[in-house]
Amino acid sequence: MRIPAHQWPWRWCLYWLLLPNIIVIVMWPIGGPPMGRPIFVAGLLALAFSQMRSLLLRRMAVAVLGLGITFEYIVNSFNLEAMRIDAASEFLKNAKPLASAEYLAGLVILCATLALAVRGAGRVQHFARPSNWIFAICAILGMMQIDAVATVATSNTYKGLPPEGTPFASGVESGGVAQPGPARRHLVVIVVEALGIPTFEEGKRLFAADWDRPAWRGRYEVARGKVAYFGSTTNGEIRELCGAFANFDGFDFAHADCLPRRYSKAGYDTLAIHAFEGGFFDRRAWWPQAGFARTEFAPDLVRGGARKCGGMWPGACDVDIAAQIGQRLKSASRPQFIYWVTLNSHIPVLAGATPGLAGCEDGAAPLAHASLLQCRLFQAHHDIAEAISALAMDPALPPTDFLIVGDHMPPFMRRNERLDFDGYNVPWIVLRNRPA
């Protein structure tokens, strides 16, 4: 049976389905995470809320739906299983998302479209026929299908935690540093933000130049490999520190045999370092629960002499933290376990995020001919690799082992940039000090 055109809920589709999902739709040609389930849930809520009698409530509901779907899009983009309110407040307080032109453009588009949706919510008539409901549900399902097709190329790279029973591996276990050795050498574990495995030839060459340095083999036994990643940075941390695929929220630290507690029992001093604020993702609270005796964040590191780096994630400069770690190791009277989560290569890497970004704009840097954000990421990783190498090769450094491991692949929004990296694994590199 043919449905007359006047019975089709066009205005409902515009104001309650398309406009609240505008960020999702705008990103379809570019990239982004699969959003089928959130689109479905938001669509059903829109069906219910759009039939309310109160115009004020309808307008409030369409605004909340638009903000909610955008929030869910951001959470899914970074593989976050749960975004705590306190972490969100720390992000808004300390990060600078509007320093990114893409984030600023997104905010302008969102505000403009939500204003249209709020205004237009009052122009949508209540559904009077079953055909109105049928068409609206078909529109929701159709939008889900379009999203599935638009995001299929990179859907495997957006993933939360794996199902129970998934085989476990970590850089700590694979690299052989899960237990303190009899030599009681210092250990430095470095989780490098967004250190993925490039799959294109120039990226492979740059990666090898930074993370497979021939000079290291003169002083260290070098081993390398890859492990599966799931989720975001904190999931990568739990993977390496506590040997589990889990969220830090609700994790049973009291009964877990986490790495810092293991090394502390062996007589090591334990220290965890991050160049951002300690309240973000509650590291100030859960790092001690994992067994670290001391923690240091941006204010402590800056007081210790580190420069301030900017960009979207302003904090201490990673390149200066490496030197501070070196001083601690040289002056230590007991064996040290130092855990360092880097910051400055956090996507998007903006101007000022680390001192070594010159060349991406004027074409002098590797990959400058390709993507600006990809160029800056490789430059930021090069900066960190140089600092780590200088630390490891310092003649005055006492015997020390190093584990360098990625947390997750670079979470680029653009599809072509994301496809340039292994969507399943991150690298690990172990430098084991050779006996004199």
Side-chain angles (χ1 to χ4, degrees):
M1 181 181 68
R2 184 177 180 180
I3 301 175
H6 70 274
Q7 294 185 22
W8 294 0
W10 297 108
R11 288 181 177 175
W12 183 90
C13 290
L14 173 62
Y15 294 118
W16 285 93
L17 185 61
L18 297 180
L19 292 183
N21 284 284
I22 192 64
I23 296 298
V24 177
I25 295 170
V26 166
M27 289 299 294
W28 278 341
I30 301 168
M35 289 290 289
R37 184 178 298 178
I39 289 171
F40 181 69
V41 172
L44 294 183
L45 291 174
L47 279 174
F49 293 149
S50 64
Q51 305 306 302
M52 293 189 298
R53 293 186 177 277
S54 169
L55 176 59
L56 176 61
L57 291 180
R58 274 183 283 158
R59 285 177 167 168
M60 291 173 61
V62 77
V64 169
L65 282 175
L67 293 172
I69 199 78
T70 302
F71 183 77
E72 184 73 13
Y73 185 87
I74 295 171
V75 167
N76 289 355
S77 295
F78 292 97
N79 292 330
L80 299 173
E81 288 267 321
M83 186 69 168
R84 292 169 45 136
I85 296 300
D86 56 347
S89 65
E90 286 289 330
F91 170 78
L92 294 173
K93 175 183 175 182
N94 297 298
K96 296 181 179 179
L98 298 187
S100 166
E102 289 86 353
Y103 279 66
L104 181 59
L107 179 63
V108 171
I109 292 170
L110 178 64
C111 290
T113 53
L114 286 186
L116 289 174
V118 168
R119 183 177 179 182
R123 301 178 62 191
V124 177
Q125 295 181 345
H126 290 86
F127 292 173
R129 301 175 177 85
S131 58
N132 298 147
W133 293 91
I134 293 171
F135 184 91
I137 292 172
C138 288
I140 296 169
L141 297 176
M143 189 171 182
M144 290 174 61
Q145 187 61 39
I146 294 171
D147 180 80
V149 172
T151 61
V152 66
T154 55
S155 60
N156 66 292
T157 67
Y158 295 96
K159 51 190 180 181
L161 295 177
E164 190 173 346
T166 299
F168 179 82
S170 69
V172 164
E173 289 188 354
S174 302
V177 298
Q179 299 292 337
R184 293 172 58 83
R185 293 189 293 265
H186 300 315
L187 174 65
V188 180
V189 173
I190 307 168
V191 177
V192 180
E193 171 63 37
L195 183 63
I197 302 173
T199 56
F200 62 108
E201 289 307 315
E202 190 168 4
K204 292 178 182 178
R205 180 181 61 79
L206 294 171
F207 180 90
D210 279 336
W211 305 108
D212 190 15
R213 301 182 179 222
W216 288 348
R217 288 175 172 78
R219 183 169 180 176
Y220 298 93
E221 296 173 359
V222 180
R224 61 183 55 254
K226 60 184 180 181
V227 293
Y229 80 89
F230 297 94
S232 63
T233 298
T234 53
N235 298 123
E237 291 189 65
I238 297 296
R239 180 192 73 219
E240 298 300 330
L241 290 176
C242 299
F245 294 135
N247 291 316
F248 71 91
D249 269 354
F251 188 76
D252 187 6
F253 288 105
H255 296 95
D257 184 24
C258 294
L259 197 65
R261 191 171 290 119
R262 219 174 294 155
Y263 272 78
S264 179
K265 289 178 181 177
Y268 280 68
D269 289 334
T270 58
L271 168 66
I273 298 172
H274 186 47
F276 202 55
E277 295 295 326
F280 193 56
F281 287 123
D282 215 18
R283 287 185 176 95
R284 186 179 289 115
W286 72 262
W287 274 1
Q289 293 175 18
F292 286 107
R294 291 181 298 148
T295 59
E296 291 190 358
F297 299 100
D300 312 298
L301 299 165
V302 171
R303 281 194 297 270
R307 290 169 289 177
K308 293 182 179 180
C309 280
M312 182 170 160
W313 304 89
C317 293
D318 286 328
V319 293
D320 297 333
I321 294 172
Q324 292 186 8
I325 291 174
Q327 291 301 317
R328 292 180 185 279
L329 296 177
K330 293 173 191 176
S331 62
S333 57
R334 299 176 59 193
Q336 302 289 303
F337 169 44
I338 298 180
Y339 172 71
W340 173 23
V341 180
T342 71
L343 171 69
N344 301 152
S345 54
H346 203 296
I347 299 292
V349 181
L350 305 180
T354 186
L357 289 184
C360 289
E361 287 81 1
D362 60 17
L367 298 181
H369 63 281
S371 154
L372 176 62
L373 291 181
Q374 204 172 77
C375 175
R376 285 176 172 168
L377 176 68
F378 273 87
Q379 289 291 89
H381 282 158
H382 176 70
D383 246 19
I384 294 167
E386 286 283 284
I388 292 172
S389 187
L391 166 63
M393 298 304 292
D394 183 349
L397 188 74
T400 303
D401 296 336
F402 292 86
L403 168 66
I404 304 161
V405 62
D407 52 356
H408 51 71
M409 71 166 290
F412 288 115
M413 291 287 193
R414 293 186 179 93
R415 187 176 298 109
N416 61 324
E417 295 170 340
R418 205 171 181 100
L419 289 172
D420 280 338
F421 291 84
D422 185 334
Y424 298 92
N425 303 290
V426 290
W428 60 264
I429 306 104
V430 162
L431 310 181
R432 194 176 298 279
N433 190 84
R434 292 183 184 276

